Amino acid sequence: MFDVVVVGGGPSGATAAEELARSGHSVALLDRDGRIKPCGGAIPPRLVSDFRIPDSQIVARINTARMISPTQRRVDIPIENGYVGMVDREFFDEYLRARAADAGAARFTGTFLRIDRHGIETKVIYRDKASGEERALRTALIIGADGARSNVAKAEVPGGDRIPFVIAYHEIIEAPERTDTYDPARCDVIYDGAISPDFYGWVFPHGKSASVGMGTGLDGVDLKRATADLRRAAGLESCRTIRREGAPIPLRPMDRWDNGRDVVLAGDAAGVVAPSSGEGIYYAMIGGQVAATAASACLSTGRAGDLALARKLFMREHKQVFRVLGAMQNAYYRSDERRERFVSLCHDIDVQRLTFEAYMNKKLVRARPMAHLKIGLKNLAHLTRLVAVTRV
């Protein structure tokens, strides 16, 4: 009998399992194993410090971000007073699962099937990977951390079957040495409708490898062809492909994360991926942390209503950032003309500094109100076409 069964062993589920185990609860961590989520792998310094990530997990430190417009305008943004850390999800996720196990979580490998309830007894039913047999884990509570198309969410939480998402696809390639078009210390973000008509493409270095990919929420887009075009433009078409991966990325947090009884969601299952950027690792781990807090409170008080704490705690800290990023995506990702203006806006030094200060610290920066005012006015001028697009 477990206090909590965590379904899903990505950053969110592994973090929830570790937090609960360190709090003295009996925890089972159920993971499918063998699946590597497509992900650029970027993490901010705040995640590294808050979650005690060792240097051995950081495969690259990025000091520049390059924005590329539909007309191939390039804006290089230096990352001052910090860096963007890059991790390889193949190893990073397993590190987090192993750390949860070291804290006392019991690991199980298999595929979640359903939740069975009989009277006061609740069981998580899964198909064991090694034997292929159905097995059961008795538990008081369940944390669903099983991704953007969460089966736990679909079965248990209102709205869990209607999460909007984009499909992300990327190819992990052997990284070359520095070239005219590739820099192992620079992330390239491509805002071009020819690559993605409603999101963006990317080239993210991972040390000896690199992630090259794109995302879209539209049907009919050939993801592999767009990625091939992106590799060709970046001079990476001849690099050996190590693996190919695709998966959905949710676009906004769900309105409710619990079923009011014994289930609470975390990470992609709850929709916590930042709009506009698609950043998910940091918010997934925070989601796992607040889900663990809510579950622990529920176990202590016996009040199922305490499961709602997960969403309340998360949104109290991050709602405004998500709102601003969502507005930016709605405003600028609608057409190539808008994307061109967005990259032009990125020439502004105040935009550059405030963007990465917010990224590294994970909150809107309020220290320079005049800079915020200037950015707001420039943003309005671009959206209303009162200014011409900057030419470089």
Side-chain angles (χ1 to χ4, degrees):
M1 177 70 183
F2 293 97
D3 292 330
V4 184
V5 170
V6 181
V7 179
S12 185
T15 299
E18 181 187 1
E19 293 275 335
L20 286 163
R22 292 194 185 282
S23 297
H25 296 292
S26 58
V27 186
L29 177 60
L30 173 64
D31 186 62
R32 286 191 300 176
D33 192 29
R35 176 183 179 274
I36 307 169
K37 182 183 175 182
C39 176
I43 62 173
R46 182 171 172 182
L47 183 152
V48 174
S49 59
D50 285 1
F51 293 97
R52 312 176 313 283
I53 303 302
D55 285 344
S56 61
Q57 289 297 317
I58 310 299
V59 296
R61 292 174 184 264
I62 302 303
N63 56 34
T64 304
R66 170 171 286 182
M67 309 297 181
I68 303 175
S69 78
T71 61
Q72 302 306 301
R73 174 185 292 103
R74 290 166 170 78
V75 177
D76 286 358
I77 304 176
I79 302 170
E80 299 177 350
N81 305 315
Y83 63 95
V84 176
M86 306 303 293
V87 297
D88 188 327
R89 291 292 297 272
E90 179 178 6
F91 304 106
F92 182 69
D93 289 18
E94 176 55 27
Y95 166 78
L96 296 177
R97 290 190 288 267
R99 193 164 73 172
D102 289 343
R107 291 183 64 175
F108 297 87
T109 303
T111 302
F112 168 82
L113 297 176
R114 64 187 181 275
I115 297 171
D116 283 353
R117 299 181 179 88
H118 300 283
I120 62 172
E121 185 176 73
T122 300
K123 295 179 181 179
V124 171
I125 311 300
Y126 71 101
R127 189 174 304 283
D128 180 69
K129 183 176 181 178
S131 68
E133 298 175 353
E134 284 194 16
R135 295 186 178 174
L137 299 170
R138 295 174 58 228
T139 186
L141 300 176
I142 301 103
I143 292 178
D146 51 335
R149 289 175 173 165
S150 166
N151 288 319
V152 176
K154 289 176 183 177
E156 296 290 333
V157 179
D161 59 344
R162 300 188 302 275
I163 302 176
F165 59 84
V166 299
I167 296 295
Y169 172 80
H170 77 162
E171 298 176 356
I172 298 295
I173 64 172
E174 284 188 352
E177 299 296 324
R178 186 192 303 268
T179 69
D180 290 341
T181 54
Y182 176 81
D183 185 337
R186 186 189 72 222
C187 282
D188 292 356
V189 185
I190 299 89
Y191 297 100
D192 185 350
I195 299 299
S196 171
D198 59 327
F199 205 55
Y200 64 82
W202 67 83
V203 178
F204 286 178
H206 288 174
K208 295 181 179 179
S209 64
S211 164
V212 185
M214 50 78 69
T216 181
L218 302 180
D219 294 333
V221 177
D222 189 332
L223 284 75
K224 292 184 178 180
R225 180 176 178 178
T227 301
D229 291 343
L230 181 53
R231 286 181 62 168
R232 189 161 42 252
L236 302 171
E237 70 272 25
S238 62
C239 296
R240 185 175 76 88
T241 302
I242 299 171
R243 64 179 189 265
R244 298 177 174 88
E245 299 154 355
I249 298 177
L251 289 176
R252 64 175 180 83
M254 288 178 57
D255 294 331
R256 183 169 178 175
W257 295 7
D258 69 282
N259 68 350
R261 180 177 180 180
D262 54 9
V263 173
V264 63
L265 305 177
D268 281 12
V272 289
V273 171
S276 178
S277 68
E279 182 192 358
I281 299 176
Y282 173 78
Y283 294 111
M285 294 179 73
I286 291 294
Q289 193 174 59
V290 295
T293 298
S296 185
C298 180
L299 290 167
S300 176
T301 65
R303 295 193 301 260
D306 284 344
L307 295 176
L309 280 172
R311 190 179 191 281
K312 290 178 182 177
L313 291 172
F314 184 93
M315 299 306 285
R316 180 186 302 167
E317 180 73 15
H318 302 290
K319 177 173 66 176
Q320 190 63 18
V321 171
F322 273 54
R323 182 177 295 166
V324 169
L325 291 176
M328 188 179 80
Q329 179 171 334
N330 290 335
Y332 284 111
Y333 287 18
R334 299 162 60 180
S335 68
D336 273 355
E337 192 266 344
R338 289 287 185 95
R339 283 184 275 268
E340 197 73 40
R341 288 183 175 277
F342 173 67
V343 175
S344 179
L345 184 63
C346 289
H347 280 285
D348 188 277
I349 192 66
D350 289 318
V351 171
Q352 295 180 10
R353 287 176 176 170
L354 290 179
T355 295
F356 279 100
E357 286 178 24
Y359 171 80
M360 290 185 291
N361 298 305
K362 283 292 163 274
K363 58 185 177 181
L364 297 179
V365 181
R366 306 185 187 279
R368 296 196 298 274
M370 287 306 297
H372 280 280
L373 178 61
K374 285 167 56 182
I375 291 170
L377 292 173
K378 291 174 183 177
N379 184 57
L380 181 63
H382 271 283
L383 292 176
T384 56
R385 298 184 176 89
L386 292 176
V387 295
V389 176
T390 302
R391 300 293 177 185
V392 178

